[in-house]
Amino acid sequence: MQDINFPVTFEFKISTLANDFTAKDSSGKPIAYVRQKMFKLKEDISIYENDTKAKLNYKIKADKWLDFSTAYSFYDHSDKEFGKVARKGWKSLWNAHYEIIDQHQKKQYVINEKNPWVKVLDSMLGEIPVLSFFTGYLFNPTYLVKNQQGKTVVELKKLKSFFGKNFEVSKIGELDSDDDDRVMLSLMMFVLLERRRG
């Protein structure tokens, strides 16, 4: 997923029980098809080139079972680990807090919510029958990826929709040339986890 044309849209399939989605670049061209294996105690995510699932490009695997501080490691097509994203325990209960770590086990970026109250209201109203159909239009959380200097480099936003199935990734600042994959895979894992939490 190098040299990505932003913005990128994550489009979830509404018609299936699986938690799958397609990532498309600004021209509408698919750049990845993300498939989450169902009924697994440990997360096991496959990222294919497209929805034909003919070519597997990456895997994401959890390193712990059902834990607040689980890390999700990235593997390329040759099964070589090249980074991970880690959810930071109790911080994530109120304000989503994830750290993107490189292949040398050094923290590179942090993912946080721009406004935690939007997510709280979105989650609360999402539990109310009838009103839950409209939360996708009323509340659309935005998440920021910041570098070690605290500057925003990428923004992830939930788009307006009845079912809250689409997200948009926009490039705000500069990324190192070899970080595109790690950041994009981190956001893919992040969306799968945060959608499940509300």
Side-chain angles (χ1 to χ4, degrees):
M1 290 185 291
Q2 296 293 318
D3 301 318
I4 298 169
N5 294 317
F6 290 90
V8 171
T9 305
F10 295 166
E11 299 179 2
F12 281 82
K13 286 188 173 183
I14 299 173
S15 59
T16 65
L17 291 174
N19 211 10
D20 298 359
F21 67 89
T22 301
K24 297 180 179 180
D25 68 12
S26 59
S27 69
K29 175 187 174 185
I31 60 170
Y33 177 71
V34 181
R35 173 88 176 166
Q36 182 178 30
K37 289 188 178 179
M38 303 294 287
F39 312 115
K40 288 276 188 177
L41 287 176
K42 292 176 72 173
E43 301 289 354
D44 189 357
I45 316 297
S46 299
I47 295 89
Y48 298 92
E49 188 173 57
N50 53 48
D51 62 5
T52 66
K53 295 184 280 186
K55 182 182 178 185
L56 178 66
N57 289 335
Y58 307 99
K59 296 279 288 183
I60 303 176
K61 296 182 181 180
D63 70 352
K64 290 184 182 178
W65 286 31
L66 305 175
D67 188 288
F68 278 117
S69 297
T70 302
Y72 304 89
S73 298
F74 310 137
Y75 298 88
D76 64 16
H77 64 278
S78 60
D79 214 29
K80 179 182 178 183
E81 184 179 346
F82 63 95
K84 63 183 68 176
V85 61
R87 183 170 58 194
K88 302 310 290 182
W90 292 100
K91 288 183 181 180
S92 294
L93 289 179
W94 163 245
N95 179 11
H97 183 93
Y98 292 70
E99 294 179 355
I100 301 174
I101 298 161
D102 69 11
Q103 69 271 36
H104 307 296
Q105 306 303 313
K106 292 183 179 178
K107 184 172 77 173
Q108 287 187 300
Y109 304 97
V110 173
I111 307 172
N112 282 123
E113 285 161 87
K114 188 174 183 180
N115 183 351
W117 279 108
V118 174
K119 180 172 168 45
V120 170
L121 292 170
D122 183 44
S123 297
M124 286 174 57
L125 287 183
E127 297 300 318
I128 302 172
V130 181
L131 282 180
S132 62
F133 287 107
F134 300 99
T135 58
Y137 274 95
L138 296 173
F139 303 108
N140 297 286
T142 297
Y143 306 93
L144 305 176
V145 180
K146 295 183 178 182
N147 61 20
Q148 291 293 80
Q149 291 72 47
K151 295 181 179 178
T152 300
V153 292
V154 173
E155 179 181 272
L156 170 72
K157 185 174 183 179
K158 182 179 172 185
L159 299 177
K160 292 180 184 295
S161 70
F162 274 119
F163 298 101
K165 294 287 185 177
N166 294 335
F167 296 80
E168 184 177 83
V169 180
S170 301
K171 189 175 179 181
I172 307 297
E174 290 302 313
L175 288 169
D176 290 340
S177 58
D178 65 341
D179 290 348
D180 283 4
D181 286 356
R182 265 190 297 276
V183 170
M184 192 59 66
L185 291 171
S186 295
L187 291 175
M188 289 172 174
M189 189 69 237
F190 174 84
V191 163
L192 290 173
L193 292 168
E194 290 300 307
R195 279 186 75 251
R196 189 167 60 199
R197 294 173 63 211

PDB file of all heavy atoms in Angstrom, residues 60-78:
ATOM      1  N   ILE A  60      -2.705  -9.538  10.355  1.00  0.00           N
ATOM      2  CA  ILE A  60      -2.628  -8.869  11.657  1.00  0.00           C
ATOM      3  C   ILE A  60      -3.046  -9.896  12.697  1.00  0.00           C
ATOM      4  O   ILE A  60      -4.120 -10.504  12.591  1.00  0.00           O
ATOM      5  CB  ILE A  60      -3.558  -7.640  11.731  1.00  0.00           C
ATOM      6  CG1 ILE A  60      -3.238  -6.646  10.608  1.00  0.00           C
ATOM      7  CG2 ILE A  60      -3.417  -6.959  13.095  1.00  0.00           C
ATOM      8  CD1 ILE A  60      -4.192  -5.445  10.562  1.00  0.00           C
ATOM      9  N   LYS A  61      -2.199 -10.081  13.707  1.00  0.00           N
ATOM     10  CA  LYS A  61      -2.491 -11.076  14.742  1.00  0.00           C
ATOM     11  C   LYS A  61      -2.308 -10.469  16.129  1.00  0.00           C
ATOM     12  O   LYS A  61      -1.342  -9.743  16.375  1.00  0.00           O
ATOM     13  CB  LYS A  61      -1.575 -12.295  14.579  1.00  0.00           C
ATOM     14  CG  LYS A  61      -1.801 -13.052  13.276  1.00  0.00           C
ATOM     15  CD  LYS A  61      -0.899 -14.267  13.179  1.00  0.00           C
ATOM     16  CE  LYS A  61      -1.116 -15.016  11.873  1.00  0.00           C
ATOM     17  NZ  LYS A  61      -0.250 -16.199  11.746  1.00  0.00           N
ATOM     18  N   ALA A  62      -3.234 -10.813  17.032  1.00  0.00           N
ATOM     19  CA  ALA A  62      -3.169 -10.332  18.410  1.00  0.00           C
ATOM     20  C   ALA A  62      -2.148 -11.146  19.194  1.00  0.00           C
ATOM     21  O   ALA A  62      -1.960 -12.331  18.944  1.00  0.00           O
ATOM     22  CB  ALA A  62      -4.538 -10.445  19.068  1.00  0.00           C
ATOM     23  N   ASP A  63      -1.498 -10.488  20.176  1.00  0.00           N
ATOM     24  CA  ASP A  63      -0.493 -11.205  20.959  1.00  0.00           C
ATOM     25  C   ASP A  63      -1.007 -11.637  22.331  1.00  0.00           C
ATOM     26  O   ASP A  63      -0.293 -12.239  23.105  1.00  0.00           O
ATOM     27  CB  ASP A  63       0.781 -10.365  21.118  1.00  0.00           C
ATOM     28  CG  ASP A  63       0.589  -9.161  22.028  1.00  0.00           C
ATOM     29  OD1 ASP A  63      -0.549  -8.877  22.431  1.00  0.00           O
ATOM     30  OD2 ASP A  63       1.596  -8.500  22.336  1.00  0.00           O
ATOM     31  N   LYS A  64      -2.286 -11.313  22.653  1.00  0.00           N
ATOM     32  CA  LYS A  64      -2.870 -11.748  23.926  1.00  0.00           C
ATOM     33  C   LYS A  64      -4.338 -12.089  23.712  1.00  0.00           C
ATOM     34  O   LYS A  64      -4.931 -11.701  22.720  1.00  0.00           O
ATOM     35  CB  LYS A  64      -2.766 -10.644  24.985  1.00  0.00           C
ATOM     36  CG  LYS A  64      -1.354 -10.373  25.470  1.00  0.00           C
ATOM     37  CD  LYS A  64      -1.371  -9.348  26.584  1.00  0.00           C
ATOM     38  CE  LYS A  64       0.032  -9.024  27.045  1.00  0.00           C
ATOM     39  NZ  LYS A  64       0.050  -8.004  28.103  1.00  0.00           N
ATOM     40  N   TRP A  65      -4.918 -12.781  24.677  1.00  0.00           N
ATOM     41  CA  TRP A  65      -6.336 -13.116  24.625  1.00  0.00           C
ATOM     42  C   TRP A  65      -7.132 -12.077  25.383  1.00  0.00           C
ATOM     43  O   TRP A  65      -6.880 -11.838  26.564  1.00  0.00           O
ATOM     44  CB  TRP A  65      -6.592 -14.467  25.282  1.00  0.00           C
ATOM     45  CG  TRP A  65      -6.158 -15.638  24.491  1.00  0.00           C
ATOM     46  CD1 TRP A  65      -5.118 -15.716  23.621  1.00  0.00           C
ATOM     47  CD2 TRP A  65      -6.757 -16.934  24.517  1.00  0.00           C
ATOM     48  NE1 TRP A  65      -5.022 -16.962  23.104  1.00  0.00           N
ATOM     49  CE2 TRP A  65      -6.014 -17.739  23.636  1.00  0.00           C
ATOM     50  CE3 TRP A  65      -7.827 -17.488  25.180  1.00  0.00           C
ATOM     51  CZ2 TRP A  65      -6.314 -19.068  23.406  1.00  0.00           C
ATOM     52  CZ3 TRP A  65      -8.136 -18.816  24.966  1.00  0.00           C
ATOM     53  CH2 TRP A  65      -7.387 -19.597  24.081  1.00  0.00           C
ATOM     54  N   LEU A  66      -8.128 -11.455  24.722  1.00  0.00           N
ATOM     55  CA  LEU A  66      -9.103 -10.592  25.381  1.00  0.00           C
ATOM     56  C   LEU A  66      -8.498  -9.746  26.490  1.00  0.00           C
ATOM     57  O   LEU A  66      -8.851  -9.852  27.656  1.00  0.00           O
ATOM     58  CB  LEU A  66     -10.242 -11.452  25.958  1.00  0.00           C
ATOM     59  CG  LEU A  66     -10.935 -12.372  24.953  1.00  0.00           C
ATOM     60  CD1 LEU A  66     -11.955 -13.243  25.656  1.00  0.00           C
ATOM     61  CD2 LEU A  66     -11.602 -11.593  23.856  1.00  0.00           C
ATOM     62  N   ASP A  67      -7.573  -8.882  26.134  1.00  0.00           N
ATOM     63  CA  ASP A  67      -6.848  -8.086  27.116  1.00  0.00           C
ATOM     64  C   ASP A  67      -6.920  -6.612  26.756  1.00  0.00           C
ATOM     65  O   ASP A  67      -6.855  -6.246  25.595  1.00  0.00           O
ATOM     66  CB  ASP A  67      -5.380  -8.549  27.140  1.00  0.00           C
ATOM     67  CG  ASP A  67      -4.590  -7.919  28.261  1.00  0.00           C
ATOM     68  OD1 ASP A  67      -4.305  -6.723  28.157  1.00  0.00           O
ATOM     69  OD2 ASP A  67      -4.261  -8.629  29.225  1.00  0.00           O
ATOM     70  N   PHE A  68      -7.027  -5.748  27.763  1.00  0.00           N
ATOM     71  CA  PHE A  68      -7.132  -4.307  27.510  1.00  0.00           C
ATOM     72  C   PHE A  68      -5.863  -3.728  26.887  1.00  0.00           C
ATOM     73  O   PHE A  68      -5.888  -2.659  26.309  1.00  0.00           O
ATOM     74  CB  PHE A  68      -7.446  -3.559  28.805  1.00  0.00           C
ATOM     75  CG  PHE A  68      -8.902  -3.564  29.159  1.00  0.00           C
ATOM     76  CD1 PHE A  68      -9.348  -4.167  30.316  1.00  0.00           C
ATOM     77  CD2 PHE A  68      -9.833  -2.966  28.318  1.00  0.00           C
ATOM     78  CE1 PHE A  68     -10.691  -4.172  30.640  1.00  0.00           C
ATOM     79  CE2 PHE A  68     -11.175  -2.979  28.636  1.00  0.00           C
ATOM     80  CZ  PHE A  68     -11.611  -3.582  29.801  1.00  0.00           C
ATOM     81  N   SER A  69      -4.724  -4.403  27.052  1.00  0.00           N
ATOM     82  CA  SER A  69      -3.473  -3.865  26.522  1.00  0.00           C
ATOM     83  C   SER A  69      -2.903  -4.732  25.404  1.00  0.00           C
ATOM     84  O   SER A  69      -1.697  -4.864  25.257  1.00  0.00           O
ATOM     85  CB  SER A  69      -2.439  -3.721  27.645  1.00  0.00           C
ATOM     86  OG  SER A  69      -2.884  -2.805  28.600  1.00  0.00           O
ATOM     87  N   THR A  70      -3.775  -5.327  24.640  1.00  0.00           N
ATOM     88  CA  THR A  70      -3.342  -6.205  23.556  1.00  0.00           C
ATOM     89  C   THR A  70      -2.631  -5.423  22.453  1.00  0.00           C
ATOM     90  O   THR A  70      -3.000  -4.311  22.122  1.00  0.00           O
ATOM     91  CB  THR A  70      -4.553  -6.929  22.955  1.00  0.00           C
ATOM     92  OG1 THR A  70      -5.210  -7.662  23.984  1.00  0.00           O
ATOM     93  CG2 THR A  70      -4.142  -7.880  21.850  1.00  0.00           C
ATOM     94  N   ALA A  71      -1.589  -6.036  21.897  1.00  0.00           N
ATOM     95  CA  ALA A  71      -0.913  -5.485  20.725  1.00  0.00           C
ATOM     96  C   ALA A  71      -1.277  -6.341  19.518  1.00  0.00           C
ATOM     97  O   ALA A  71      -1.503  -7.548  19.638  1.00  0.00           O
ATOM     98  CB  ALA A  71       0.590  -5.471  20.936  1.00  0.00           C
ATOM     99  N   TYR A  72      -1.348  -5.701  18.358  1.00  0.00           N
ATOM    100  CA  TYR A  72      -1.723  -6.385  17.125  1.00  0.00           C
ATOM    101  C   TYR A  72      -0.570  -6.233  16.139  1.00  0.00           C
ATOM    102  O   TYR A  72      -0.302  -5.140  15.639  1.00  0.00           O
ATOM    103  CB  TYR A  72      -3.016  -5.786  16.575  1.00  0.00           C
ATOM    104  CG  TYR A  72      -4.147  -5.842  17.590  1.00  0.00           C
ATOM    105  CD1 TYR A  72      -4.341  -4.810  18.501  1.00  0.00           C
ATOM    106  CD2 TYR A  72      -4.981  -6.953  17.656  1.00  0.00           C
ATOM    107  CE1 TYR A  72      -5.345  -4.876  19.449  1.00  0.00           C
ATOM    108  CE2 TYR A  72      -5.990  -7.024  18.606  1.00  0.00           C
ATOM    109  CZ  TYR A  72      -6.170  -5.980  19.504  1.00  0.00           C
ATOM    110  OH  TYR A  72      -7.151  -6.059  20.454  1.00  0.00           O
ATOM    111  N   SER A  73       0.114  -7.340  15.883  1.00  0.00           N
ATOM    112  CA  SER A  73       1.330  -7.314  15.066  1.00  0.00           C
ATOM    113  C   SER A  73       1.020  -7.448  13.583  1.00  0.00           C
ATOM    114  O   SER A  73       0.098  -8.166  13.193  1.00  0.00           O
ATOM    115  CB  SER A  73       2.272  -8.446  15.500  1.00  0.00           C
ATOM    116  OG  SER A  73       2.672  -8.261  16.843  1.00  0.00           O
ATOM    117  N   PHE A  74       1.831  -6.765  12.756  1.00  0.00           N
ATOM    118  CA  PHE A  74       1.668  -6.774  11.308  1.00  0.00           C
ATOM    119  C   PHE A  74       2.697  -7.717  10.681  1.00  0.00           C
ATOM    120  O   PHE A  74       3.882  -7.667  11.013  1.00  0.00           O
ATOM    121  CB  PHE A  74       1.876  -5.377  10.724  1.00  0.00           C
ATOM    122  CG  PHE A  74       1.079  -4.308  11.410  1.00  0.00           C
ATOM    123  CD1 PHE A  74       1.659  -3.081  11.721  1.00  0.00           C
ATOM    124  CD2 PHE A  74      -0.256  -4.514  11.756  1.00  0.00           C
ATOM    125  CE1 PHE A  74       0.930  -2.097  12.354  1.00  0.00           C
ATOM    126  CE2 PHE A  74      -0.991  -3.533  12.394  1.00  0.00           C
ATOM    127  CZ  PHE A  74      -0.396  -2.312  12.698  1.00  0.00           C
ATOM    128  N   TYR A  75       2.229  -8.538   9.737  1.00  0.00           N
ATOM    129  CA  TYR A  75       3.112  -9.467   9.029  1.00  0.00           C
ATOM    130  C   TYR A  75       2.919  -9.278   7.527  1.00  0.00           C
ATOM    131  O   TYR A  75       1.793  -9.118   7.050  1.00  0.00           O
ATOM    132  CB  TYR A  75       2.788 -10.915   9.396  1.00  0.00           C
ATOM    133  CG  TYR A  75       2.994 -11.223  10.865  1.00  0.00           C
ATOM    134  CD1 TYR A  75       1.970 -11.010  11.789  1.00  0.00           C
ATOM    135  CD2 TYR A  75       4.217 -11.711  11.322  1.00  0.00           C
ATOM    136  CE1 TYR A  75       2.162 -11.280  13.141  1.00  0.00           C
ATOM    137  CE2 TYR A  75       4.411 -11.986  12.674  1.00  0.00           C
ATOM    138  CZ  TYR A  75       3.389 -11.763  13.579  1.00  0.00           C
ATOM    139  OH  TYR A  75       3.575 -12.017  14.918  1.00  0.00           O
ATOM    140  N   ASP A  76       4.025  -9.299   6.787  1.00  0.00           N
ATOM    141  CA  ASP A  76       3.922  -9.171   5.335  1.00  0.00           C
ATOM    142  C   ASP A  76       3.655 -10.536   4.707  1.00  0.00           C
ATOM    143  O   ASP A  76       3.456 -11.530   5.414  1.00  0.00           O
ATOM    144  CB  ASP A  76       5.172  -8.490   4.752  1.00  0.00           C
ATOM    145  CG  ASP A  76       6.441  -9.303   4.962  1.00  0.00           C
ATOM    146  OD1 ASP A  76       6.351 -10.520   5.271  1.00  0.00           O
ATOM    147  OD2 ASP A  76       7.538  -8.728   4.810  1.00  0.00           O
ATOM    148  N   HIS A  77       3.664 -10.592   3.367  1.00  0.00           N
ATOM    149  CA  HIS A  77       3.321 -11.834   2.657  1.00  0.00           C
ATOM    150  C   HIS A  77       4.304 -12.966   2.929  1.00  0.00           C
ATOM    151  O   HIS A  77       3.984 -14.132   2.747  1.00  0.00           O
ATOM    152  CB  HIS A  77       3.241 -11.567   1.144  1.00  0.00           C
ATOM    153  CG  HIS A  77       4.547 -11.147   0.552  1.00  0.00           C
ATOM    154  ND1 HIS A  77       4.999  -9.844   0.607  1.00  0.00           N
ATOM    155  CD2 HIS A  77       5.497 -11.852  -0.098  1.00  0.00           C
ATOM    156  CE1 HIS A  77       6.178  -9.760   0.012  1.00  0.00           C
ATOM    157  NE2 HIS A  77       6.501 -10.963  -0.420  1.00  0.00           N
ATOM    158  N   SER A  78       5.528 -12.628   3.398  1.00  0.00           N
ATOM    159  CA  SER A  78       6.517 -13.656   3.722  1.00  0.00           C
ATOM    160  C   SER A  78       6.535 -13.969   5.213  1.00  0.00           C
ATOM    161  O   SER A  78       7.454 -14.609   5.711  1.00  0.00           O
ATOM    162  CB  SER A  78       7.913 -13.225   3.253  1.00  0.00           C
ATOM    163  OG  SER A  78       8.294 -12.015   3.890  1.00  0.00           O
TER     164      SER A  78
END
